[in-house]
Amino acid sequence: MTPEQIAALLSFARPHDSRVRRALADPQQSAHTIAEWTRVLADVPAVLPEVRWDVSHAVRRYYEQRGGDRSAQFRAIEPHDVLAAWAPHRAELMQRHTDPVPAADPDNPAAWREELLGTRTAVATGHAPPAQPHAEINPAGQKRLAALVAGVGNGPRRYMPADVAEQLAEFRPARAAREAAIADGQPNPYAHKCTWCGAEDEQPCRTGYRARGKGRGTRALPHPCRIDAATRAAEKAEDEQQSLARLMSTPPAPRERRARHTSGGARP
């Protein structure tokens, strides 16, 4: 806030508190008070519609004595009261903000850090709006992006390069063994929901019988009912494929020729 804004703020508080009115009566004391408030509140904006912030509302709420707070009866409003009112709005700004990639050279850590901190400071003080890259995506695009992210590393269409999967195989032995079995043509038991422990598709089976899954661990191997379901599904798919193959390989029966019935007698 600038000295002009501080003077306007104190003028707004003057009708609410005679102590502020007396402090502004003397020109020298008034100038000293404005200078002190300006030094403390230099990084606080006067109005910021993005987070519904208005410093005059903060002054009014202080004198309304909300929640049984009677501080206004014992002392006039001070700069730290404005800082306390601004803090949650600043936190909301920073929660909306996503650090953009600095334009500085990444090989220069000092310049990179200085630009990054400068952007955050500008957002925290209300001099720049929060950077929100996801706001550029429409609702339909957000749903599609969420669906793609939910499928990363799961399901038959794994969004992971083969070389990365090979490097992670030693850290995920159970998953690596399952992927190798599927590659060899064996049925995937995790493609079906477990009827024993209730594990969803592509989720490992769980141990124990506690309610809501609290304190239950994960099994390295699926339950037998899950393996049976995968085997039955594979057998059914194989039978359907064989039936289709037989149907496609059977030549069609020749059409029977029938005599055509005509009317009107023979032509001359």
Side-chain angles (χ1 to χ4, degrees), residues 27-256:
Q28 185 176 1
Q29 180 65 23
S30 176
H32 177 74
T33 302
I34 293 175
E36 288 294 327
W37 278 61
T38 303
R39 181 179 60 83
V40 177
L41 303 179
D43 294 335
V44 178
V47 179
L48 198 61
E50 293 185 7
V51 289
R52 306 175 302 278
W53 163 255
D54 191 328
V55 68
S56 62
H57 296 170
V59 173
R60 184 178 181 86
R61 281 193 296 268
Y62 175 77
Y63 286 103
E64 285 178 352
Q65 302 179 7
R66 292 190 174 185
D69 183 9
R70 299 185 177 181
S71 300
Q73 293 184 355
F74 305 103
R75 61 176 179 82
I77 188 170
E78 297 179 5
H80 66 81
D81 298 314
V82 179
L83 289 176
W86 163 245
H89 298 276
R90 180 182 58 190
E92 183 179 350
L93 278 176
M94 297 310 297
Q95 288 176 358
R96 296 182 184 181
H97 178 64
T98 302
D99 290 323
V101 179
D105 186 4
D107 294 332
N108 188 350
W112 180 282
R113 184 175 182 273
E114 182 179 359
E115 183 176 350
L116 195 63
L117 293 180
T119 304
R120 293 181 181 179
T121 302
V123 174
T125 55
H127 292 89
Q132 297 177 295
H134 60 275
E136 302 298 332
I137 305 177
N138 55 24
Q142 291 181 5
K143 292 181 180 179
R144 180 176 177 274
L145 182 61
L148 291 176
V149 172
V152 172
N154 298 322
R157 295 183 59 188
R158 181 184 58 197
Y159 296 90
M160 182 184 299
D163 56 340
V164 176
E166 293 178 359
Q167 296 177 9
L168 296 177
E170 60 175 315
F171 303 101
R172 305 186 304 171
R175 185 176 182 87
R178 173 158 58 100
E179 293 178 353
I182 295 174
D184 292 340
Q186 300 181 14
N188 179 18
Y190 292 96
H192 307 272
K193 181 178 179 179
C194 183
T195 58
W196 179 263
C197 65
E200 299 293 337
D201 299 351
E202 299 300 334
Q203 297 296 326
C205 289
R206 293 170 295 184
T207 61
Y209 302 93
R210 293 187 179 182
R212 299 181 181 179
K214 292 184 178 180
R216 300 173 65 179
T218 57
R219 287 171 51 95
L221 298 176
H223 283 109
C225 60
R226 217 171 187 182
I227 300 176
D228 295 341
T231 304
R232 289 194 300 269
E235 292 176 352
K236 181 179 179 181
E238 185 178 358
D239 293 341
E240 292 178 353
Q241 186 176 4
Q242 291 179 358
S243 300
L244 180 61
R246 286 195 300 268
L247 180 63
M248 297 298 294
S249 61
T250 302
R255 296 182 60 184
E256 181 181 356

